[in-house]
Amino acid sequence: MNNDEKIIRRALIISSFSSLLIAAVVIVVLVLLGGEEEEILVDEAEVTGPQISKSVVTPTILLKDITQESGIDFTHTNGAYGSRMLPETMGGGLAFFDYNNDTHQDLLLINSVSWSWKDGQDKNSRSKLYRGNGDGTFEDVSERTGLDLQVYGMGVAVGDYDGDGWSDIFVTAVGENLLLKNINGKRFENVTRLQGVSGPADSWSTSAAFFDFDRDGDLDLFVCNYVVWSREINESVDYRLTGLGAAYGPPTDFGGTNSILYRNDNGKFFDVSASAGVQVMNEASGAPVGKGLAVHPIDVNSDGWLDVIVANDTVQNFLFINQRNGKFKESGVFSGLAFDNSGSATGAMGVDAAYYANDERLGITIGNFANEMSSFYVKRGLDNVFSDNSIVAGIGAHSRKALTFGTVFVDLDLDGRLDLIAANGHVEPEINRVQSSQYYEQPLHIFWNCGDSCSRVYQPAGDSLGALKFVGRGAGYADIDGDGDTDLAITQAGGPVVLLRNDQSSKNHWIRVTLVGKPPNPEAIGATVLVYADGLKQTRSVMPSRSYLTQVELPLTFGLGATDIISLLEVHWPNGQKDVHRDLIVDQNHIFVQR
């Protein structure tokens, strides 16, 4: 038996054991309930013991809705008119980034439009760019910058693709996508045709990411495509909820698609999807498998080359392992990321990854459909196999009822441990009329990272949002007011964006790190920073493409808890160069320039 066969066998054993365990628990619950319940929710305490140590108090995360006072006035338009066109329930995207290099985080919100065939609807919906003032307030600069876009937009990727020092923008859409070049922080110029990155006119693209897959220094572009869709196909599918009429439904009756990888050669893009191996076909039919909704580039195997995770809706997730020769190998099944513990594909939406335990354990979280637990895949060190530790990690049962789209790791209370945020919201406005346990608007989930003090790493945290609920889609973060902690933005399908200021009252220390790389990647996308403090090693990557249709800020925030001494900080630049820094002052932003 060769090494690959041993690894695959091990993955199958782990999956089979987990499946038997879950099945046994479900059988017990069914017996206890007499099989009468419509939905079975497994209590994690029955599986893993007590939820939290008596000596640990789960904090209340203090978040305040400051949308109105911040100057942001944006409501997502989806064009819904009753016929339940599937794209209506899947938008919209957001990006925190610094478009004018003034060090303040700006906010781009991607809008959709009314359908061209439907009269009498709002024809003036536009995307909006808000310039951040650095104090938590914003100014609408959409029109003057040319970002008052009128397309059926979905998501966004941000990156300086031409290395001129200004962040450029790629907008995904139902139909042709847009590449917008930043002209000296004043306006954006449409260079889509020039660069040949519009994609097919009949495509439906979702999340996207700029990253350097071939380590030639410049940023390449990965674009997720969802399903084969048109008005005619949607009407022929005619999905319905019993007794209620037309519904959006799952994507199972829509064909799969291939995502697109564009290689950047000195500022010019070329489609290398086929030759690079990111097209996955059904062996029996020859049709594309993927139904991509989210993408996150990360070096999964620690070889210095960025790999790609793609969350696929109702079909297997992909893990493209970089072969370091311009090609990828799809290894989702081999690695244990393709399916859940029962061997089933999930309704996968958003994705993020992090070294959540401040050690060698890499965690990948994927938000899933209602009545499916969010996935929490964990890999140790150089091990090539992930196991889904959703229940063991503490997010399993609490996430099962939610329909999770945007999901991100972020240290909200600055204690040095990455918390987990999930933006939730159903796709069916009338879902509660047919499933009493489900609601269209759902609360934000905050899982506090308890570290080694608890039997499970993540504990549901209280928050100050009260009864506030969302039709949540994108979830992004940035420090919008310069106080060191990280604030949140949540987009809603067909509803207003919500800006949540982090008002933590703890005295925890922090450090923020901004990297300035060498052209053609001055934003240092793909770099990794390690901070050693108080006996812990924290690891963060400069990779804004996370969550769902979302980009987060480039500066990295490290919570330090009570310590005010940083032993060491390492910067691992995208080209492999390493810089070491000592004697750093806490509670401020540090800018490091690549030598």
Side-chain angles (χ1 to χ4, degrees), residues 77 112-126 149-151:
T77 296
S112 303
V113 294
S114 298
W115 297 112
S116 59
W117 61 81
K118 188 65 179 175
D119 295 329
Q121 287 194 300
D122 179 15
K123 303 295 184 181
N124 296 315
S125 58
R126 299 173 183 269
L149 308 171
Q150 279 195 298
V151 295

PDB file of all heavy atoms in Angstrom, residues 77 112-126 149-151:
ATOM      1  N   THR A  77     -30.942  46.128  -3.566  1.00  0.00           N
ATOM      2  CA  THR A  77     -32.066  45.878  -4.467  1.00  0.00           C
ATOM      3  C   THR A  77     -31.844  44.540  -5.151  1.00  0.00           C
ATOM      4  O   THR A  77     -30.772  44.299  -5.710  1.00  0.00           O
ATOM      5  CB  THR A  77     -32.168  46.987  -5.530  1.00  0.00           C
ATOM      6  OG1 THR A  77     -32.444  48.225  -4.886  1.00  0.00           O
ATOM      7  CG2 THR A  77     -33.273  46.677  -6.528  1.00  0.00           C
ATOM      8  N   SER A 112     -27.568  45.029  -6.814  1.00  0.00           N
ATOM      9  CA  SER A 112     -28.148  44.433  -8.016  1.00  0.00           C
ATOM     10  C   SER A 112     -29.148  45.431  -8.598  1.00  0.00           C
ATOM     11  O   SER A 112     -29.241  46.563  -8.125  1.00  0.00           O
ATOM     12  CB  SER A 112     -28.821  43.101  -7.672  1.00  0.00           C
ATOM     13  OG  SER A 112     -27.895  42.217  -7.065  1.00  0.00           O
ATOM     14  N   VAL A 113     -29.907  45.026  -9.589  1.00  0.00           N
ATOM     15  CA  VAL A 113     -30.850  45.930 -10.243  1.00  0.00           C
ATOM     16  C   VAL A 113     -32.157  45.181 -10.508  1.00  0.00           C
ATOM     17  O   VAL A 113     -32.258  43.976 -10.309  1.00  0.00           O
ATOM     18  CB  VAL A 113     -30.295  46.468 -11.583  1.00  0.00           C
ATOM     19  CG1 VAL A 113     -29.089  47.351 -11.358  1.00  0.00           C
ATOM     20  CG2 VAL A 113     -29.944  45.305 -12.522  1.00  0.00           C
ATOM     21  N   SER A 114     -33.143  45.911 -10.949  1.00  0.00           N
ATOM     22  CA  SER A 114     -34.397  45.279 -11.357  1.00  0.00           C
ATOM     23  C   SER A 114     -34.175  44.509 -12.658  1.00  0.00           C
ATOM     24  O   SER A 114     -33.278  44.821 -13.450  1.00  0.00           O
ATOM     25  CB  SER A 114     -35.471  46.340 -11.554  1.00  0.00           C
ATOM     26  OG  SER A 114     -35.723  47.028 -10.347  1.00  0.00           O
ATOM     27  N   TRP A 115     -34.996  43.513 -12.880  1.00  0.00           N
ATOM     28  CA  TRP A 115     -34.871  42.703 -14.082  1.00  0.00           C
ATOM     29  C   TRP A 115     -35.311  43.487 -15.312  1.00  0.00           C
ATOM     30  O   TRP A 115     -36.279  44.223 -15.274  1.00  0.00           O
ATOM     31  CB  TRP A 115     -35.704  41.429 -13.956  1.00  0.00           C
ATOM     32  CG  TRP A 115     -35.234  40.538 -12.848  1.00  0.00           C
ATOM     33  CD1 TRP A 115     -35.884  40.258 -11.693  1.00  0.00           C
ATOM     34  CD2 TRP A 115     -33.999  39.814 -12.800  1.00  0.00           C
ATOM     35  NE1 TRP A 115     -35.140  39.402 -10.909  1.00  0.00           N
ATOM     36  CE2 TRP A 115     -33.975  39.109 -11.570  1.00  0.00           C
ATOM     37  CE3 TRP A 115     -32.916  39.687 -13.670  1.00  0.00           C
ATOM     38  CZ2 TRP A 115     -32.907  38.295 -11.197  1.00  0.00           C
ATOM     39  CZ3 TRP A 115     -31.854  38.870 -13.291  1.00  0.00           C
ATOM     40  CH2 TRP A 115     -31.858  38.192 -12.077  1.00  0.00           C
ATOM     41  N   SER A 116     -34.579  43.313 -16.399  1.00  0.00           N
ATOM     42  CA  SER A 116     -34.816  44.098 -17.618  1.00  0.00           C
ATOM     43  C   SER A 116     -36.187  43.842 -18.219  1.00  0.00           C
ATOM     44  O   SER A 116     -36.746  44.707 -18.909  1.00  0.00           O
ATOM     45  CB  SER A 116     -33.727  43.793 -18.658  1.00  0.00           C
ATOM     46  OG  SER A 116     -33.730  42.405 -18.987  1.00  0.00           O
ATOM     47  N   TRP A 117     -36.729  42.644 -17.987  1.00  0.00           N
ATOM     48  CA  TRP A 117     -38.020  42.300 -18.596  1.00  0.00           C
ATOM     49  C   TRP A 117     -39.231  42.725 -17.762  1.00  0.00           C
ATOM     50  O   TRP A 117     -40.351  42.522 -18.155  1.00  0.00           O
ATOM     51  CB  TRP A 117     -38.088  40.793 -18.838  1.00  0.00           C
ATOM     52  CG  TRP A 117     -37.988  39.970 -17.577  1.00  0.00           C
ATOM     53  CD1 TRP A 117     -38.984  39.678 -16.686  1.00  0.00           C
ATOM     54  CD2 TRP A 117     -36.819  39.335 -17.072  1.00  0.00           C
ATOM     55  NE1 TRP A 117     -38.511  38.906 -15.656  1.00  0.00           N
ATOM     56  CE2 TRP A 117     -37.178  38.667 -15.870  1.00  0.00           C
ATOM     57  CE3 TRP A 117     -35.493  39.247 -17.518  1.00  0.00           C
ATOM     58  CZ2 TRP A 117     -36.261  37.944 -15.112  1.00  0.00           C
ATOM     59  CZ3 TRP A 117     -34.590  38.521 -16.760  1.00  0.00           C
ATOM     60  CH2 TRP A 117     -34.978  37.885 -15.579  1.00  0.00           C
ATOM     61  N   LYS A 118     -38.956  43.328 -16.581  1.00  0.00           N
ATOM     62  CA  LYS A 118     -40.053  43.663 -15.681  1.00  0.00           C
ATOM     63  C   LYS A 118     -40.225  45.177 -15.622  1.00  0.00           C
ATOM     64  O   LYS A 118     -39.320  45.907 -15.229  1.00  0.00           O
ATOM     65  CB  LYS A 118     -39.778  43.120 -14.281  1.00  0.00           C
ATOM     66  CG  LYS A 118     -40.949  43.240 -13.315  1.00  0.00           C
ATOM     67  CD  LYS A 118     -42.122  42.397 -13.761  1.00  0.00           C
ATOM     68  CE  LYS A 118     -43.285  42.501 -12.783  1.00  0.00           C
ATOM     69  NZ  LYS A 118     -44.472  41.773 -13.254  1.00  0.00           N
ATOM     70  N   ASP A 119     -41.405  45.666 -16.009  1.00  0.00           N
ATOM     71  CA  ASP A 119     -41.695  47.099 -15.974  1.00  0.00           C
ATOM     72  C   ASP A 119     -42.180  47.521 -14.595  1.00  0.00           C
ATOM     73  O   ASP A 119     -42.614  46.707 -13.781  1.00  0.00           O
ATOM     74  CB  ASP A 119     -42.769  47.450 -17.009  1.00  0.00           C
ATOM     75  CG  ASP A 119     -42.294  47.206 -18.434  1.00  0.00           C
ATOM     76  OD1 ASP A 119     -41.083  47.357 -18.674  1.00  0.00           O
ATOM     77  OD2 ASP A 119     -43.136  46.856 -19.295  1.00  0.00           O
ATOM     78  N   GLY A 120     -42.110  48.821 -14.347  1.00  0.00           N
ATOM     79  CA  GLY A 120     -42.686  49.389 -13.134  1.00  0.00           C
ATOM     80  C   GLY A 120     -41.854  49.210 -11.889  1.00  0.00           C
ATOM     81  O   GLY A 120     -42.339  49.437 -10.780  1.00  0.00           O
ATOM     82  N   GLN A 121     -40.593  48.804 -12.031  1.00  0.00           N
ATOM     83  CA  GLN A 121     -39.733  48.651 -10.867  1.00  0.00           C
ATOM     84  C   GLN A 121     -38.673  49.746 -10.833  1.00  0.00           C
ATOM     85  O   GLN A 121     -38.468  50.483 -11.802  1.00  0.00           O
ATOM     86  CB  GLN A 121     -39.047  47.278 -10.883  1.00  0.00           C
ATOM     87  CG  GLN A 121     -39.989  46.124 -10.559  1.00  0.00           C
ATOM     88  CD  GLN A 121     -39.216  44.859 -10.252  1.00  0.00           C
ATOM     89  OE1 GLN A 121     -38.465  44.369 -11.077  1.00  0.00           O
ATOM     90  NE2 GLN A 121     -39.402  44.335  -9.049  1.00  0.00           N
ATOM     91  N   ASP A 122     -38.005  49.842  -9.677  1.00  0.00           N
ATOM     92  CA  ASP A 122     -36.955  50.831  -9.487  1.00  0.00           C
ATOM     93  C   ASP A 122     -35.800  50.559 -10.451  1.00  0.00           C
ATOM     94  O   ASP A 122     -35.196  49.495 -10.428  1.00  0.00           O
ATOM     95  CB  ASP A 122     -36.457  50.779  -8.039  1.00  0.00           C
ATOM     96  CG  ASP A 122     -35.339  51.778  -7.763  1.00  0.00           C
ATOM     97  OD1 ASP A 122     -35.146  52.694  -8.592  1.00  0.00           O
ATOM     98  OD2 ASP A 122     -34.668  51.638  -6.731  1.00  0.00           O
ATOM     99  N   LYS A 123     -35.498  51.538 -11.289  1.00  0.00           N
ATOM    100  CA  LYS A 123     -34.418  51.382 -12.263  1.00  0.00           C
ATOM    101  C   LYS A 123     -33.162  52.152 -11.847  1.00  0.00           C
ATOM    102  O   LYS A 123     -32.208  52.250 -12.613  1.00  0.00           O
ATOM    103  CB  LYS A 123     -34.877  51.883 -13.640  1.00  0.00           C
ATOM    104  CG  LYS A 123     -36.134  51.192 -14.174  1.00  0.00           C
ATOM    105  CD  LYS A 123     -35.919  49.727 -14.454  1.00  0.00           C
ATOM    106  CE  LYS A 123     -37.166  49.088 -15.077  1.00  0.00           C
ATOM    107  NZ  LYS A 123     -36.982  47.644 -15.331  1.00  0.00           N
ATOM    108  N   ASN A 124     -33.150  52.681 -10.633  1.00  0.00           N
ATOM    109  CA  ASN A 124     -32.060  53.564 -10.230  1.00  0.00           C
ATOM    110  C   ASN A 124     -31.140  52.954  -9.175  1.00  0.00           C
ATOM    111  O   ASN A 124     -30.307  53.658  -8.621  1.00  0.00           O
ATOM    112  CB  ASN A 124     -32.633  54.879  -9.699  1.00  0.00           C
ATOM    113  CG  ASN A 124     -33.376  55.651 -10.768  1.00  0.00           C
ATOM    114  OD1 ASN A 124     -32.894  55.780 -11.893  1.00  0.00           O
ATOM    115  ND2 ASN A 124     -34.560  56.158 -10.442  1.00  0.00           N
ATOM    116  N   SER A 125     -31.303  51.676  -8.859  1.00  0.00           N
ATOM    117  CA  SER A 125     -30.445  51.077  -7.844  1.00  0.00           C
ATOM    118  C   SER A 125     -29.007  51.003  -8.348  1.00  0.00           C
ATOM    119  O   SER A 125     -28.749  50.617  -9.488  1.00  0.00           O
ATOM    120  CB  SER A 125     -30.955  49.682  -7.483  1.00  0.00           C
ATOM    121  OG  SER A 125     -30.995  48.847  -8.622  1.00  0.00           O
ATOM    122  N   ARG A 126     -28.077  51.366  -7.476  1.00  0.00           N
ATOM    123  CA  ARG A 126     -26.660  51.416  -7.845  1.00  0.00           C
ATOM    124  C   ARG A 126     -25.796  50.917  -6.693  1.00  0.00           C
ATOM    125  O   ARG A 126     -26.189  51.013  -5.520  1.00  0.00           O
ATOM    126  CB  ARG A 126     -26.242  52.847  -8.203  1.00  0.00           C
ATOM    127  CG  ARG A 126     -26.995  53.438  -9.404  1.00  0.00           C
ATOM    128  CD  ARG A 126     -26.646  54.915  -9.588  1.00  0.00           C
ATOM    129  NE  ARG A 126     -27.412  55.502 -10.682  1.00  0.00           N
ATOM    130  CZ  ARG A 126     -27.017  55.544 -11.944  1.00  0.00           C
ATOM    131  NH1 ARG A 126     -25.836  55.036 -12.268  1.00  0.00           N
ATOM    132  NH2 ARG A 126     -27.761  56.102 -12.872  1.00  0.00           N
ATOM    133  N   LEU A 149     -22.345  51.827  -9.865  1.00  0.00           N
ATOM    134  CA  LEU A 149     -22.533  50.847 -10.932  1.00  0.00           C
ATOM    135  C   LEU A 149     -23.985  50.404 -11.029  1.00  0.00           C
ATOM    136  O   LEU A 149     -24.670  50.249 -10.018  1.00  0.00           O
ATOM    137  CB  LEU A 149     -21.645  49.636 -10.680  1.00  0.00           C
ATOM    138  CG  LEU A 149     -20.156  49.914 -10.429  1.00  0.00           C
ATOM    139  CD1 LEU A 149     -19.451  48.641  -9.987  1.00  0.00           C
ATOM    140  CD2 LEU A 149     -19.503  50.482 -11.685  1.00  0.00           C
ATOM    141  N   GLN A 150     -24.436  50.139 -12.247  1.00  0.00           N
ATOM    142  CA  GLN A 150     -25.757  49.585 -12.488  1.00  0.00           C
ATOM    143  C   GLN A 150     -25.609  48.258 -13.231  1.00  0.00           C
ATOM    144  O   GLN A 150     -25.667  48.195 -14.450  1.00  0.00           O
ATOM    145  CB  GLN A 150     -26.632  50.552 -13.285  1.00  0.00           C
ATOM    146  CG  GLN A 150     -27.264  51.649 -12.435  1.00  0.00           C
ATOM    147  CD  GLN A 150     -28.395  52.354 -13.158  1.00  0.00           C
ATOM    148  OE1 GLN A 150     -28.185  52.977 -14.199  1.00  0.00           O
ATOM    149  NE2 GLN A 150     -29.596  52.258 -12.608  1.00  0.00           N
ATOM    150  N   VAL A 151     -25.396  47.198 -12.457  1.00  0.00           N
ATOM    151  CA  VAL A 151     -25.326  45.836 -12.975  1.00  0.00           C
ATOM    152  C   VAL A 151     -26.012  44.934 -11.960  1.00  0.00           C
ATOM    153  O   VAL A 151     -26.232  45.334 -10.814  1.00  0.00           O
ATOM    154  CB  VAL A 151     -23.863  45.359 -13.181  1.00  0.00           C
ATOM    155  CG1 VAL A 151     -23.183  46.170 -14.260  1.00  0.00           C
ATOM    156  CG2 VAL A 151     -23.083  45.438 -11.875  1.00  0.00           C
TER     157      VAL A 151
END
